[in-house]
Amino acid sequence: MKYKNNISTAVSLTAALVIGSCTSSFAATNWKIAGGDSEGSSQHAFGLKFVEQLEAKTGGEYTGTLFMNSQLGSEQDTVVEAGLGTLDFSILAINNVTPFSPTVGIFTLPYVIQSLDEAELLTQGEVGAELVENTVKDAGVRIVGWAYTGFRVLTNSKQPIETLEDLQKVIVRVPKNEIMIDTYKAWGGNPTPMAWSETFTALQQRVVDGQDNPYVTVDAMKFDTVQKYVTNIRYIFSIEPLIMSESVYQDQTPEVQQAIVEAGKAATKHSAEFLTANEARIKQQLIEKGMIITDPANGEKEWIEKATTAVWPKHYESIGGKDKLNRVLRLLGRDEV
């Protein structure tokens, strides 16, 4: 009888330990976060800070895993997947969101944003808030943070480019974005639309001669190994939002939604600091690796004139009207068109 009681007690203790261990531990929700660029990029720095802050603000109940270098598909593919709810997050260039939510194209119009301060003012103010609403409505994705990467400079493997005549001698990869394609056409260039995930191989195999991206991205993607020349054009300041599947967002409690937004704001702040701290150093490293950097002729005057006079009017309707552009220009303290 005593033996049976001991067995019964042992079983009860074992059950209690199992139940206790199940209730005292949990598996954190782990969201997938796609990124088009490699480790070391602004996207990567932004993503790491977002995950860190998400964990901190949810007590470790939520985290994320970064899949960089287009492991989960092209940047435009990730917009579709997030819209369908089959992908949680993606960090990508704003120009790859534009085909799905055209009004965000305001940030891709050439020579609109001319500094990091202007990028922060627009993305974190009333314009950015409006574009968040538009992307939810148009594409089923929510922008929850903004990464800043700097001006998209032009690189190529053939020759220095200072004038628009020089540009006509090279074939340049561009994103599948009508505003950017039209900009190169206005310059008399030879734009070849191509997915970001295909770009390095195309440059390596000389399918195209050049591409444009910020210094931080050029370095992270090791473009210095397949490109020689850089032209310091300033036609687009690269903004790279973190988008989240709206269906996944709406499935969360208000507390978790708030944690996501706060983590996005912290990562946004960190991104600006990362760019300020690293861009000049990276540019110098690229020079030391053998890249030759030149400025466009005449302070880029001809580039600016052709792009703004030909491209802006063509895309007034897609960005929400001429009044929308004038509103942005007023916020930036510039003359209206």
Side-chain angles (χ1 to χ4, degrees):
M1 193 69 165
K2 184 177 180 182
Y3 176 72
K4 288 183 179 179
N5 285 341
N6 287 343
I7 292 176
S8 177
T9 301
V11 170
S12 297
L13 287 171
T14 301
L17 288 170
V18 170
I19 293 170
S21 66
C22 289
T23 56
S24 64
S25 65
F26 62 89
T29 297
N30 189 355
W31 282 320
K32 288 184 178 181
I33 306 173
D37 293 349
S38 298
E39 293 185 8
S41 64
S42 291
Q43 287 187 5
H44 189 235
F46 176 95
L48 290 174
K49 178 59 69 170
F50 176 77
V51 171
E52 171 198 294
Q53 291 296 306
L54 179 65
E55 291 175 351
K57 294 178 185 301
T58 62
E61 293 188 18
Y62 289 81
T63 186
T65 299
L66 296 170
F67 294 87
M68 303 306 297
N69 208 20
S70 300
Q71 291 180 64
L72 300 184
S74 73
E75 290 193 347
Q76 289 194 10
D77 287 344
T78 64
V79 181
V80 175
E81 291 162 7
L84 293 172
T86 57
L87 176 66
D88 304 311
F89 291 87
S90 179
I91 313 167
L92 70 165
I94 193 72
N95 49 269
N96 285 316
V97 180
T98 307
F100 306 95
S101 187
T103 57
V104 301
I106 189 75
F107 291 160
T108 308
L109 281 182
Y111 301 104
V112 169
I113 297 175
Q114 286 296 288
S115 69
L116 172 59
D117 287 343
E118 291 185 353
E120 291 182 289
L121 172 66
L122 294 180
T123 55
Q124 298 177 43
E126 59 186 61
V127 174
E130 182 179 297
L131 295 181
V132 170
E133 294 178 5
N134 289 350
T135 58
V136 170
K137 177 183 64 178
D138 296 338
V141 299
R142 176 178 293 268
I143 297 172
V144 295
W146 306 88
Y148 308 111
T149 314
F151 287 104
R152 296 179 72 110
V153 296
L154 174 64
T155 73
N156 85 94
S157 58
K158 289 184 72 174
Q159 63 176 59
I161 295 175
E162 296 182 6
T163 67
L164 295 184
E165 289 73 23
D166 296 333
L167 180 64
Q168 294 172 25
K169 299 171 186 176
V170 298
I171 299 172
V172 181
R173 173 269 171 185
V174 294
K176 296 176 181 178
N177 176 282
E178 292 301 322
I179 293 175
M180 299 173 77
I181 293 169
D182 287 340
T183 299
Y184 273 90
K185 287 181 177 178
W187 288 335
N190 301 298
T192 298
M194 183 180 296
W196 179 231
S197 55
E198 301 169 2
T199 300
F200 185 91
T201 300
L203 293 170
Q204 188 178 47
Q205 297 178 352
R206 300 296 178 93
V207 174
V208 293
D209 303 310
Q211 61 85 50
D212 66 63
N213 261 290
Y215 283 112
V216 176
T217 305
V218 170
D219 178 63
M221 299 302 292
K222 302 190 185 321
F223 282 162
D224 58 282
T225 63
V226 291
Q227 302 275 269
K228 179 73 172 178
Y229 304 98
V230 183
T231 306
N232 272 323
I233 57 174
R234 298 168 63 87
Y235 86 117
I236 290 177
F237 188 96
S238 189
I239 295 171
E240 303 186 303
L242 171 65
I243 62 169
M244 179 181 188
S245 168
E246 179 64 9
S247 62
V248 174
Y249 180 82
Q250 291 301 334
D251 284 343
Q252 309 310 311
T253 65
E255 293 76 17
V256 174
Q257 290 179 350
Q258 182 178 355
I260 292 167
V261 171
E262 290 178 354
K265 288 180 179 178
T268 298
K269 182 175 183 291
H270 176 72
S271 178
E273 294 169 347
F274 177 86
L275 178 63
T276 301
N278 290 285
E279 186 177 41
R281 174 185 60 80
I282 287 172
K283 180 180 177 181
Q284 182 58 39
Q285 285 180 347
L286 292 172
I287 293 172
E288 292 170 1
K289 290 178 180 179
M291 297 196 84
I292 298 171
I293 300 176
T294 59
D295 293 320
N298 301 317
E300 212 169 334
K301 181 179 179 181
E302 188 179 8
W303 302 66
I304 296 170
E305 181 180 348
K306 288 195 178 287
T308 55
T309 57
V311 180
W312 284 12
K314 187 173 181 179
H315 292 276
Y316 286 155
E317 183 177 352
S318 69
I319 65 168
K322 185 177 179 180
D323 289 344
K324 291 288 179 68
L325 176 58
N326 280 330
R327 173 185 168 200
V328 167
L329 293 174
R330 286 196 301 271
L331 287 170
L332 299 177
R334 303 222 196 103
D335 293 335
E336 298 181 15
V337 292

